[in-house]
Amino acid sequence: MPERFSGRRESYRGFLMSCEILFALNPRTYQSDFVRIRTVISLFSDEAQVWAHNLLRTADPVLQSWNSFLSAMNQLYEDPQRSDFAQAQIRQLRQGRRPIEDYTIEFRRLASETGWNETALVSQFRWGLSESVKDELARGETPTALEPLIRLVLQIDRRIRERVRERTLFSPPPRPPAPRMLAPSPLPTTSTIPSTEEPMQLNVVRRRLTPQENQHRRDNGLCLYCGKNTHLVRDCPDTPTQGVGRKIYHGGGHD
Protein backbone atom coordinates (compact mmCIF):
# COMPACT_ATOMS: atom_id res chain seq x y z
CA MET A 1 0.00 0.00 0.00
CA PRO A 2 1.16 3.59 -0.61
CA GLU A 3 2.35 5.68 2.29
CA ARG A 4 -0.16 8.03 3.85
CA PHE A 5 -0.51 11.51 2.36
CA SER A 6 -0.72 14.45 4.74
CA GLY A 7 -1.26 17.18 2.18
CA ARG A 8 2.36 18.22 1.58
CA ARG A 9 2.79 19.30 -2.04
CA GLU A 10 6.31 17.95 -2.39
CA SER A 11 5.09 14.41 -1.70
CA TYR A 12 1.87 14.58 -3.72
CA ARG A 13 3.26 13.30 -7.03
CA GLY A 14 4.89 10.31 -5.39
CA PHE A 15 1.73 9.45 -3.50
CA LEU A 16 -0.42 9.70 -6.61
CA MET A 17 1.97 7.52 -8.59
CA SER A 18 1.90 4.87 -5.86
CA CYS A 19 -1.90 4.83 -5.99
CA GLU A 20 -1.94 4.40 -9.75
CA ILE A 21 0.49 1.49 -9.46
CA LEU A 22 -1.76 -0.10 -6.85
CA PHE A 23 -4.77 0.22 -9.16
CA ALA A 24 -2.86 -1.23 -12.11
CA LEU A 25 -1.68 -4.26 -10.12
CA ASN A 26 -5.19 -5.02 -8.87
CA PRO A 27 -7.53 -4.03 -11.72
CA ARG A 28 -10.46 -6.13 -10.51
CA THR A 29 -10.35 -4.76 -6.99
CA TYR A 30 -10.06 -1.14 -8.06
CA GLN A 31 -12.20 -1.27 -11.16
CA SER A 32 -14.89 1.17 -9.99
CA ASP A 33 -14.37 4.88 -9.35
CA PHE A 34 -16.14 4.52 -6.01
CA VAL A 35 -13.53 2.07 -4.69
CA ARG A 36 -10.62 4.10 -6.06
CA ILE A 37 -11.79 7.34 -4.46
CA ARG A 38 -12.50 5.75 -1.08
CA THR A 39 -9.17 3.92 -1.13
CA VAL A 40 -7.27 7.15 -1.72
CA ILE A 41 -9.24 8.95 0.99
CA SER A 42 -8.44 6.14 3.43
CA LEU A 43 -4.74 6.90 2.86
CA PHE A 44 -5.11 10.60 3.70
CA SER A 45 -3.97 12.09 7.00
CA ASP A 46 -3.82 15.51 8.67
CA GLU A 47 -4.97 18.35 6.38
CA ALA A 48 -5.69 16.08 3.41
CA GLN A 49 -7.91 13.90 5.57
CA VAL A 50 -9.88 16.91 6.83
CA TRP A 51 -10.44 18.08 3.24
CA ALA A 52 -11.63 14.65 2.07
CA HIS A 53 -13.94 14.15 5.05
CA ASN A 54 -15.61 17.45 4.27
CA LEU A 55 -16.26 16.18 0.74
CA LEU A 56 -17.83 13.02 2.10
CA ARG A 57 -19.93 14.86 4.64
CA THR A 58 -21.33 17.27 2.06
CA ALA A 59 -21.60 14.65 -0.71
CA ASP A 60 -19.58 16.86 -2.98
CA PRO A 61 -20.07 16.15 -6.72
CA VAL A 62 -16.32 15.63 -7.20
CA LEU A 63 -16.83 12.24 -5.53
CA GLN A 64 -18.96 10.99 -8.42
CA SER A 65 -16.03 10.08 -10.70
CA TRP A 66 -12.34 9.37 -10.39
CA ASN A 67 -11.40 12.01 -12.96
CA SER A 68 -13.29 14.77 -11.15
CA PHE A 69 -11.79 13.74 -7.81
CA LEU A 70 -8.30 13.60 -9.37
CA SER A 71 -8.80 17.06 -10.87
CA ALA A 72 -9.82 18.44 -7.47
CA MET A 73 -6.73 16.92 -5.85
CA ASN A 74 -4.48 18.35 -8.54
CA GLN A 75 -5.87 21.84 -8.08
CA LEU A 76 -5.33 21.64 -4.34
CA TYR A 77 -2.00 19.83 -4.01
CA GLU A 78 -0.25 20.13 -7.36
CA ASP A 79 2.75 22.48 -7.32
CA PRO A 80 1.89 25.30 -9.77
CA GLN A 81 5.58 25.76 -10.58
CA ARG A 82 6.25 22.06 -11.05
CA SER A 83 6.08 22.09 -14.83
CA ASP A 84 8.27 25.17 -15.21
CA PHE A 85 10.82 23.77 -12.79
CA ALA A 86 10.89 20.40 -14.59
CA GLN A 87 11.35 22.09 -17.96
CA ALA A 88 14.28 24.11 -16.69
CA GLN A 89 15.90 21.01 -15.21
CA ILE A 90 15.45 18.81 -18.27
CA ARG A 91 17.02 21.45 -20.51
CA GLN A 92 20.15 21.34 -18.37
CA LEU A 93 20.24 17.55 -18.09
CA ARG A 94 23.30 15.90 -19.69
CA GLN A 95 24.51 12.32 -19.75
CA GLY A 96 28.16 13.23 -19.33
CA ARG A 97 30.31 10.22 -18.42
CA ARG A 98 27.65 8.32 -16.50
CA PRO A 99 25.87 5.25 -17.92
CA ILE A 100 22.92 5.87 -20.20
CA GLU A 101 20.66 4.06 -17.71
CA ASP A 102 21.17 6.77 -15.08
CA TYR A 103 20.57 9.52 -17.62
CA THR A 104 17.39 7.83 -18.88
CA ILE A 105 15.92 7.39 -15.40
CA GLU A 106 16.36 11.06 -14.56
CA PHE A 107 15.09 12.14 -17.97
CA ARG A 108 11.90 10.11 -17.64
CA ARG A 109 11.23 11.51 -14.18
CA LEU A 110 11.46 15.08 -15.44
CA ALA A 111 9.68 14.36 -18.73
CA SER A 112 6.55 13.23 -16.92
CA GLU A 113 6.26 16.66 -15.32
CA THR A 114 7.10 18.90 -18.27
CA GLY A 115 3.88 18.47 -20.23
CA TRP A 116 5.90 18.28 -23.47
CA ASN A 117 4.79 16.26 -26.48
CA GLU A 118 6.70 13.32 -27.97
CA THR A 119 8.62 15.38 -30.53
CA ALA A 120 9.95 17.81 -27.94
CA LEU A 121 10.99 14.99 -25.61
CA VAL A 122 12.84 13.12 -28.37
CA SER A 123 14.73 16.25 -29.36
CA GLN A 124 15.70 17.04 -25.77
CA PHE A 125 16.72 13.44 -25.04
CA ARG A 126 19.10 13.40 -28.02
CA TRP A 127 20.51 16.78 -27.07
CA GLY A 128 21.59 15.57 -23.63
CA LEU A 129 23.39 12.43 -24.83
CA SER A 130 27.17 12.12 -24.66
CA GLU A 131 29.16 12.98 -27.78
CA SER A 132 30.27 9.39 -28.33
CA VAL A 133 26.66 8.16 -28.34
CA LYS A 134 25.62 10.97 -30.67
CA ASP A 135 28.38 9.96 -33.09
CA GLU A 136 27.09 6.39 -33.18
CA LEU A 137 23.51 7.58 -33.66
CA ALA A 138 24.61 9.60 -36.67
CA ARG A 139 25.74 6.41 -38.44
CA GLY A 140 22.18 5.20 -39.01
CA GLU A 141 18.52 6.12 -38.94
CA THR A 142 17.33 7.59 -35.64
CA PRO A 143 13.91 6.59 -34.23
CA THR A 144 11.36 9.39 -34.03
CA ALA A 145 9.62 8.01 -30.92
CA LEU A 146 11.10 8.26 -27.44
CA GLU A 147 10.96 4.64 -26.28
CA PRO A 148 12.57 3.14 -29.44
CA LEU A 149 15.24 5.83 -29.22
CA ILE A 150 15.95 4.95 -25.59
CA ARG A 151 16.29 1.25 -26.45
CA LEU A 152 18.72 2.06 -29.25
CA VAL A 153 20.98 4.31 -27.20
CA LEU A 154 21.04 1.74 -24.40
CA GLN A 155 22.58 -0.74 -26.84
CA ILE A 156 25.00 1.84 -28.21
CA ASP A 157 26.18 2.97 -24.79
CA ARG A 158 26.77 -0.60 -23.63
CA ARG A 159 28.85 -1.38 -26.73
CA ILE A 160 30.94 1.73 -26.16
CA ARG A 161 31.62 0.84 -22.53
CA GLU A 162 32.50 -2.75 -23.46
CA ARG A 163 34.98 -1.48 -26.03
CA VAL A 164 36.57 0.82 -23.47
CA ARG A 165 37.01 -2.12 -21.08
CA GLU A 166 38.59 -4.21 -23.84
CA ARG A 167 41.13 -1.52 -24.63
CA THR A 168 41.97 -1.22 -20.95
CA LEU A 169 42.44 -4.98 -20.46
CA PHE A 170 44.42 -5.79 -23.60
CA SER A 171 46.46 -2.66 -24.22
CA PRO A 172 50.23 -3.13 -23.60
CA PRO A 173 51.67 -1.56 -20.46
CA PRO A 174 53.45 1.75 -20.93
CA ARG A 175 57.19 1.60 -21.53
CA PRO A 176 59.42 2.73 -18.68
CA PRO A 177 61.34 5.94 -19.31
CA ALA A 178 64.84 5.56 -20.75
CA PRO A 179 67.63 5.94 -18.17
CA ARG A 180 69.45 9.23 -18.19
CA MET A 181 73.03 9.14 -19.45
CA LEU A 182 75.50 10.69 -17.03
CA ALA A 183 78.47 12.64 -18.35
CA PRO A 184 81.81 10.86 -17.72
CA SER A 185 84.01 12.25 -14.98
CA PRO A 186 86.98 14.27 -16.29
CA LEU A 187 90.35 12.52 -16.20
CA PRO A 188 92.96 13.93 -13.82
CA THR A 189 95.43 16.29 -15.48
CA THR A 190 98.30 15.42 -13.19
CA SER A 191 99.53 12.26 -11.56
CA THR A 192 100.90 11.86 -8.08
CA ILE A 193 102.97 9.21 -6.39
CA PRO A 194 103.49 8.71 -2.66
CA SER A 195 106.47 10.33 -1.00
CA THR A 196 109.39 8.05 0.11
CA GLU A 197 112.94 8.51 1.31
CA GLU A 198 114.47 7.82 -2.10
CA PRO A 199 114.81 10.90 -4.35
CA MET A 200 113.43 9.09 -7.40
CA GLN A 201 110.20 8.23 -5.54
CA LEU A 202 109.47 11.77 -4.42
CA ASN A 203 106.62 13.72 -6.00
CA VAL A 204 108.81 16.58 -7.07
CA VAL A 205 109.01 18.65 -10.17
CA ARG A 206 112.25 17.90 -11.96
CA ARG A 207 113.94 19.48 -14.90
CA ARG A 208 114.94 17.25 -17.74
CA LEU A 209 118.62 16.37 -17.28
CA THR A 210 121.03 14.69 -19.58
CA PRO A 211 122.05 11.20 -18.52
CA GLN A 212 125.55 12.45 -17.73
CA GLU A 213 124.34 15.32 -15.53
CA ASN A 214 121.90 13.05 -13.77
CA GLN A 215 124.64 10.56 -12.92
CA HIS A 216 127.01 13.34 -11.88
CA ARG A 217 124.55 14.73 -9.33
CA ARG A 218 123.90 11.31 -7.91
CA ASP A 219 127.58 10.49 -7.56
CA ASN A 220 128.33 13.78 -5.80
CA GLY A 221 125.24 13.96 -3.57
CA LEU A 222 123.86 17.00 -5.33
CA CYS A 223 120.21 18.05 -5.47
CA LEU A 224 118.61 16.49 -8.50
CA TYR A 225 116.51 19.62 -9.00
CA CYS A 226 118.81 22.63 -8.51
CA GLY A 227 122.26 20.95 -8.42
CA LYS A 228 123.28 22.35 -5.03
CA ASN A 229 125.14 20.28 -2.42
CA THR A 230 123.43 21.75 0.64
CA HIS A 231 120.32 19.59 0.54
CA LEU A 232 118.61 16.72 -1.20
CA VAL A 233 115.88 17.13 -3.76
CA ARG A 234 113.11 16.47 -1.23
CA ASP A 235 114.23 19.53 0.74
CA CYS A 236 114.93 21.73 -2.27
CA PRO A 237 113.49 25.22 -1.68
CA ASP A 238 113.39 25.90 -5.42
CA THR A 239 110.77 23.28 -6.29
CA PRO A 240 107.30 24.70 -7.21
CA THR A 241 105.52 22.52 -4.60
CA GLN A 242 106.49 20.80 -1.37
CA GLY A 243 105.66 17.36 0.09
CA VAL A 244 103.36 14.65 -1.09
CA GLY A 245 101.36 15.39 -4.21
CA ARG A 246 104.03 17.43 -6.06
CA LYS A 247 103.91 17.50 -9.82
CA ILE A 248 106.47 15.29 -11.51
CA TYR A 249 108.78 16.76 -14.10
CA HIS A 250 110.69 13.89 -15.62
CA GLY A 251 114.40 14.43 -15.96
CA GLY A 252 116.52 12.84 -18.60
CA GLY A 253 118.01 9.40 -18.07
CA HIS A 254 117.26 6.98 -15.28
CA ASP A 255 117.15 8.10 -11.65
Side-chain angles (χ1 to χ4, degrees), residues 196-199 202 204 223 232-236 239 242-243 246:
T196 63
E197 293 294 328
E198 293 295 328
L202 292 174
V204 297
C223 176
L232 297 178
V233 66
R234 64 171 175 266
D235 301 319
C236 181
T239 56
Q242 296 287 336
R246 294 174 179 172

Side-chain angles (χ1 to χ4, degrees), residues 21 30 33 68 85 90 109-110 120 151 158 165 174 187 225-226 241:
I21 293 174
Y30 302 102
D33 290 354
S68 61
F85 182 70
I90 204 170
R109 179 183 65 82
L110 295 173
R151 289 194 295 269
R158 288 167 185 167
R165 284 195 295 268
L187 296 175
Y225 185 84
C226 65
T241 58

